[in-house]
Amino acid sequence: MGGVDLWQNEYEHDDEFSLQCMHDQMLEVVCVCGAWHLGKLQVGLSQARRLAQGKVIRIHTSSPFPVQIDGEPFIQQPCCLEIKHHGQMFMLRRALEEPRGHAAAIMTEVLADAECKGIINASQKKILLQQVAVNLA
């Protein structure tokens, strides 16, 4: 989805789901209603519907349906799908040439972790990131 935040931690929601966090080993499931909805999501005119959150997600199907995993489309026959966290790996990324960029990246990760742990909320994180950006500029 090109960086679109489908779970949308930044907005108020009337559900009982927790914040999305890449460190908690939880999986989030959202509903998107077609290509038109995807386009609206990318430009911020709509929101995906939150369906589930958990350590194990089970989906029972009774008829074939189209699926896309990692960019590869196929028709999934009726089955029971079980999706769970298997492991987490560090990913390589291009090194930033400026030490300030590295400091900003570290601060972003620290603040994201603090938000996930409930130490700060989304709006506090946003304000702190803005202040870090101003101070490092």
Side-chain angles (χ1 to χ4, degrees), residues 1 34-45:
M1 277 299 297
W36 181 249
H37 192 198
L38 287 173
K40 288 170 48 177
L41 287 166
Q42 282 207 302
V43 296
L45 295 176

Side-chain angles (χ1 to χ4, degrees), residues 38-64:
L38 287 173
K40 288 170 48 177
L41 287 166
Q42 282 207 302
V43 296
L45 295 176
S46 187
Q47 294 180 344
R49 182 166 181 232
R50 294 174 171 196
L51 297 178
Q53 185 178 41
K55 297 236 182 227
V56 177
I57 303 294
R58 287 187 190 90
I59 303 170
H60 299 275
T61 67
S62 57
S63 60

Side-chain angles (χ1 to χ4, degrees), residues 16-120:
E16 298 298 319
F17 294 118
S18 301
L19 293 176
Q20 178 185 27
C21 177
M22 74 171 122
H23 305 293
D24 63 2
Q25 298 184 356
M26 296 284 280
L27 302 169
E28 287 78 23
V29 180
V30 298
C31 175
V32 177
C33 303
W36 181 249
H37 192 198
L38 287 173
K40 288 170 48 177
L41 287 166
Q42 282 207 302
V43 296
L45 295 176
S46 187
Q47 294 180 344
R49 182 166 181 232
R50 294 174 171 196
L51 297 178
Q53 185 178 41
K55 297 236 182 227
V56 177
I57 303 294
R58 287 187 190 90
I59 303 170
H60 299 275
T61 67
S62 57
S63 60
F65 66 99
V67 173
Q68 182 174 336
I69 298 177
D70 197 23
E72 298 297 325
F74 63 95
I75 299 296
Q76 176 64 55
Q77 297 302 316
C79 66
C80 175
L81 298 170
E82 182 174 287
I83 305 166
K84 58 186 171 183
H85 185 273
H86 180 68
Q88 193 162 343
M89 301 300 297
F90 289 104
M91 300 298 293
L92 296 176
R93 66 179 177 198
R94 183 174 52 168
L96 299 172
E97 291 151 24
E98 294 184 40
R100 293 179 185 169
H102 183 65
I106 291 171
M107 285 302 300
T108 301
E109 289 179 24
V110 167
L111 292 173
D113 189 50
E115 180 187 16
C116 289
K117 292 177 179 173
I119 298 168
I120 61 174

Side-chain angles (χ1 to χ4, degrees), residues 5 9-10 22 100-116 120-137:
D5 179 12
N9 283 346
E10 304 287 325
M22 74 171 122
R100 293 179 185 169
H102 183 65
I106 291 171
M107 285 302 300
T108 301
E109 289 179 24
V110 167
L111 292 173
D113 189 50
E115 180 187 16
C116 289
I120 61 174
N121 63 34
S123 61
Q124 290 170 324
K125 180 183 85 172
K126 185 176 180 179
I127 291 167
L128 289 169
L129 284 172
Q130 289 171 344
Q131 290 175 352
V132 166
V134 168
N135 290 330
L136 290 177

